[in-house]
Amino acid sequence: MLQYQFDYAPEVVFETLCDPGFVVERSLALGDLESECEVYEEGEHTIVVSKRQIERDLPAFLKKVFDPVQHMELTEKWLEDDDGGYTAEQHIQIHGVPLAISAEIALFPTSNGCCYRILQSATAKVPLIARKLEKYALGEAEDGIEEDMRYLAEYLEDL
């Protein structure tokens, strides 16, 4: 589980994370080759769908199996809770890769702002290398979250 503290109210962080312009700007600034984002309401939920083209420096055990340039779709389904915070289910699909990455996200108020908490899991369906692929994918996802949160913190400071 990863946690990040922000000196802003949860609604400020939530609104930023659900701004399609911010999502695209962040993705491109952090090295994605292409990025697009759509945000819409579905009942009480706010749905954020980000489609990205990424290039990864794959480890040797994956280079023979997967293209380093990949298309991914990240979907977050956010819901405001009764305590002034938000929760989300996140699902990441990488096209052409038999791997499912999902996460549970909580954005909740603290005494000096809010906390963003994320718990991820990965499930691969590749004979012989599933565990290695899952470990690699979670490592990449955690590195990506670190970069995303650093970028978000800098962005919020400039508001």
Side-chain angles (χ1 to χ4, degrees):
M1 178 177 354
L2 301 172
Q3 288 192 151
Y4 303 91
Q5 178 68 39
F6 295 98
D7 297 331
Y8 301 90
E11 59 269 7
V12 172
V13 175
F14 170 76
E15 288 173 10
T16 303
L17 292 171
C18 295
D19 174 1
F22 168 78
V23 173
V24 169
E25 176 185 317
R26 178 187 63 196
S27 294
L28 295 174
L30 295 177
D32 290 355
L33 303 174
E34 295 178 12
S35 180
E36 62 183 71
C37 181
E38 175 187 9
V39 177
Y40 59 92
E41 301 297 320
E42 187 176 88
E44 296 179 339
H45 293 92
T46 300
I47 312 296
V48 180
V49 179
S50 174
K51 296 179 182 180
R52 302 159 48 188
Q53 183 182 35
I54 58 175
E55 184 169 12
R56 297 283 187 243
D57 184 21
L58 298 174
F61 78 97
L62 292 177
K63 284 183 179 180
K64 295 177 183 176
V65 183
F66 301 114
D67 188 333
V69 176
Q70 300 167 344
H71 296 274
M72 68 178 280
E73 185 172 314
L74 184 146
T75 303
E76 293 176 341
K77 188 174 184 179
W78 288 93
L79 181 63
E80 187 172 3
D81 63 29
D82 295 333
D83 297 325
Y86 302 84
T87 58
E89 295 175 5
Q90 181 188 76
H91 299 282
I92 301 173
Q93 176 186 3
I94 303 171
H95 300 281
V97 178
L99 173 71
I101 302 172
S102 59
E104 295 176 11
I105 302 171
L107 180 62
F108 55 91
T110 62
S111 60
N112 58 342
C114 70
C115 182
Y116 178 100
R117 180 185 301 154
I118 184 166
L119 177 61
Q120 297 181 299
S121 63
T123 304
K125 295 180 181 174
V126 182
L128 304 176
I129 62 168
R131 293 286 178 230
K132 284 176 118 177
L133 177 56
E134 291 167 357
K135 184 177 179 180
Y136 170 76
L138 285 176
E140 286 291 301
E142 286 183 8
D143 290 347
I145 290 167
E146 291 282 343
E147 290 180 3
D148 287 352
M149 294 297 110
R150 217 174 2 260
Y151 189 89
L152 175 61
E154 291 172 8
Y155 182 88
L156 291 170
E157 287 176 10
D158 292 339
L159 288 180

